[in-house]
Amino acid sequence: MSACRTVEGAGCITWWGFGPARDVLSADVVRPEGELNVLLVGSGDPRHILKTIAGLRENNSLHVWVIENNIEVVARQLLLLYLSLSTPESMGMHEKTEVFLELFGNSEIRCQTEETLKHVAAQLSLYVTDTLDTHTQSHPCLDTSLLKFRERDELAQIFKQWQHPPSSPVSAVKAWDARIRQHLGTRYDSRKGCFDWDLTMKLHQKGCGVIHKQQYVKWRERGVAFEMREGLYQRANQSLLSTRVFNHRGDRVGLRGYWGDIVSSPYLSFGIETENKDLLRTQNNQHVKVKRKLMDLNGVRVSFLSPDSLTKLPLKNRYSHLFNTIYCSASMVHHLDSSLKQIAAPDAVLIVELAKYLLDLSKEQEAAFAVKVGEIAKEVGFVQIHDHNNDAYAVFTLQKN
């Protein structure tokens, strides 16, 4: 069922998730005291990390372990976490929110946001190459030491490319339009009607009525989801560009462009749910609410693991029955097998992203994917504890022997 994520509209690289931010420790099971270990497999963005930190109790510390299937996604995760967890002294809350949202969901950004991206890229480059003093670094809770040397070199190259784009940079407008043309085909000339249908007959019907038509259509048209103030959004967001390899006459050719989601939208991650229901009548500020609590990060650690590490964790003693919660995206669920029980703590919770917001799928395909997820979870030793047929996630707990 991994083919679900190869649907053209969803793209081949996960820049954001296909479901709202979730506190992954909030399932209806007894939460132990002390350090809690969470494994995120393919989450694509830091939404679950931020929401989980916000819900952390005083008697808990948190260690999040992150596996992505692409180093370019790891680079984005580091960028967005760096911004989110920066201190008020280095960046005010209002500015931080604007910069975060621009870099998170806009194919084009303002000049001042581009300068912030370059500055953060320089800091991250120093960090992953171990040339930044660990006593002065902005985010000692971010850990890349478990990545392979080759992967850290790749990260450094990505950050360098963000700092110094090619002299003939990729046009974000052309890259985005090329994806729309490929996705819609003969429907391209009537694309506004297609955009409206996807919003009103799909997203709104799935409970996303807070997403405004004007904003959604503008994002579908040119990839700009968040415009907070007047300004020129004309600089390509280098963090949303990546290289896709094609076969051309027997040769493998890398083409840099935008290869992420062009249908479901970045609004899903932070913009469709909030504990304050009054916000749903106007706008959703959950991303702000979450970050207001991210000042005291004592007891929080985020470690990045190699993309191929999921099958290797059960072979290492340090991960034996370690993880209180394991989260898996729809694109990675096919990697789960029975060895998962060896790294799951007693009473561990498994949360799997469903296909609810993959808009290119039919209702029958969406339902079939949910059934398949249940079968996979059962095969690896988990039983469902909630009926989430109408939700974005399925939740399971480790079956007792």
Side-chain angles (χ1 to χ4, degrees):
M1 294 301 292
S2 61
C4 281
R5 291 300 297 274
T6 62
V7 172
E8 175 57 35
C12 63
I13 187 168
T14 307
W15 291 134
W16 44 74
F18 290 87
R22 182 185 180 110
D23 179 351
V24 297
L25 296 173
S26 64
D28 292 335
V29 297
V30 177
R31 182 187 299 195
E33 296 184 1
E35 183 176 73
L36 300 172
N37 287 275
V38 170
L39 177 64
L40 301 181
V41 182
S43 58
D45 65 40
R47 67 196 188 283
H48 301 315
I49 298 176
L50 301 181
K51 186 72 179 287
T52 302
I53 292 175
L56 203 60
R57 299 172 184 171
E58 291 184 359
N59 62 347
N60 288 138
S61 59
L62 176 67
H63 194 163
V64 181
W65 309 73
V66 180
I67 299 176
E68 299 290 355
N69 64 0
N70 190 302
I71 287 295
E72 289 166 311
V73 177
V74 173
R76 276 262 299 180
Q77 286 266 36
L78 286 167
L79 165 69
L80 295 173
L81 284 169
Y82 185 103
L83 289 168
S84 301
L85 306 180
S86 59
T87 63
E89 292 76 22
S90 62
M91 186 180 297
M93 180 62 67
H94 187 75
E95 179 187 4
K96 181 198 298 186
T97 302
E98 291 188 344
V99 171
F100 178 94
L101 290 176
E102 277 190 55
L103 291 173
F104 177 69
N106 288 5
S107 62
E108 292 185 296
I109 55 180
R110 297 171 297 160
C111 289
Q112 54 267 49
T113 303
E114 183 183 47
E115 291 305 311
T116 300
L117 173 61
K118 290 180 178 181
H119 170 75
V120 174
Q123 295 298 304
L124 290 172
S125 182
L126 292 172
Y127 173 60
V128 299
T129 54
D130 279 338
T131 56
L132 189 65
D133 186 344
T134 56
H135 296 291
T136 61
Q137 61 179 279
S138 299
H139 301 308
C141 63
L142 299 182
D143 173 25
T144 59
S145 64
L146 298 176
L147 295 173
K148 299 171 184 174
F149 287 112
R150 171 179 53 81
E151 293 161 349
R152 292 166 68 183
D153 288 342
E154 289 179 31
L155 282 175
Q157 288 298 316
I158 292 169
F159 297 140
K160 183 178 180 180
Q161 195 163 30
W162 293 355
Q163 290 176 263
H164 308 287
S167 55
S168 298
V170 174
S171 167
V173 174
K174 292 181 179 179
W176 188 272
D177 186 66
R179 287 289 313 288
I180 295 175
R181 290 177 180 273
Q182 182 181 23
H183 179 240
L184 294 181
T186 57
R187 297 181 297 156
Y188 178 81
D189 289 339
S190 57
R191 58 191 179 279
K192 292 291 181 64
C194 296
F195 301 161
D196 184 65
W197 176 270
D198 285 342
L199 178 65
T200 58
M201 302 306 296
K202 294 183 180 181
L203 284 172
H204 283 179
Q205 293 297 316
K206 294 174 183 288
C208 301
V210 70
I211 300 178
H212 194 275
K213 177 180 178 180
Q214 182 178 357
Q215 293 174 323
Y216 178 77
V217 170
K218 181 179 291 186
W219 174 77
R220 286 290 300 268
E221 187 72 55
R222 51 187 283 252
V224 176
F226 303 103
E227 289 183 293
M228 273 65 64
R229 63 174 69 188
E230 292 184 5
L232 297 177
Y233 293 78
Q234 295 180 339
R235 310 294 293 183
N237 182 356
Q238 296 296 322
S239 76
L240 279 179
L241 298 177
S242 62
T243 300
R244 183 176 180 181
V245 177
F246 293 86
N247 289 318
H248 180 69
R249 297 178 180 177
D251 295 325
R252 291 171 62 83
V253 179
L255 182 61
R256 189 163 174 80
Y258 177 81
W259 305 113
D261 167 45
I262 58 170
V263 175
S264 296
S265 87
Y267 303 122
L268 295 174
S269 290
F270 295 103
I272 62 173
E273 289 187 358
T274 178
E275 295 173 7
N276 183 351
K277 300 305 179 184
D278 289 338
L279 294 174
L280 294 176
R281 297 193 184 98
T282 53
Q283 61 179 353
N284 185 306
N285 285 328
Q286 182 170 319
H287 54 273
V288 178
K289 180 179 183 295
V290 168
K291 286 195 280 288
R292 281 178 184 150
K293 192 175 178 179
L294 299 182
M295 298 307 148
D296 182 6
L297 295 172
N298 292 327
V300 175
R301 188 174 183 84
V302 182
S303 296
F304 289 86
L305 302 172
S306 296
D308 63 353
S309 62
L310 181 60
T311 58
K312 300 175 182 178
L313 297 184
L315 306 177
K316 300 180 180 181
N317 288 333
R318 72 179 297 182
Y319 302 109
S320 177
H321 305 294
L322 178 65
F323 299 110
N324 304 97
T325 298
I326 300 171
Y327 169 89
C328 188
S329 68
S331 64
M332 300 286 277
V333 69
H334 61 290
H335 290 294
L336 301 182
D337 59 33
S338 59
S339 66
L340 200 67
K341 290 187 293 185
Q342 299 176 36
I343 62 173
D347 298 317
V349 172
L350 172 66
I351 302 173
V352 180
E353 179 186 65
L354 297 178
K356 178 177 180 178
Y357 296 113
L358 291 173
L359 303 189
D360 285 345
L361 299 185
S362 66
K363 291 182 179 179
E364 291 74 20
Q365 289 173 314
E366 179 187 330
F369 183 79
V371 171
K372 183 63 176 177
V373 165
E375 293 173 351
I376 292 174
K378 184 177 180 180
E379 289 172 2
V380 302
F382 286 78
V383 293
Q384 193 158 0
I385 59 175
H386 292 295
D387 182 5
H388 279 281
N389 291 329
N390 296 317
D391 205 352
Y393 304 101
V395 184
F396 308 85
T397 189
L398 187 63
Q399 188 170 15
K400 305 294 184 182
N401 293 327

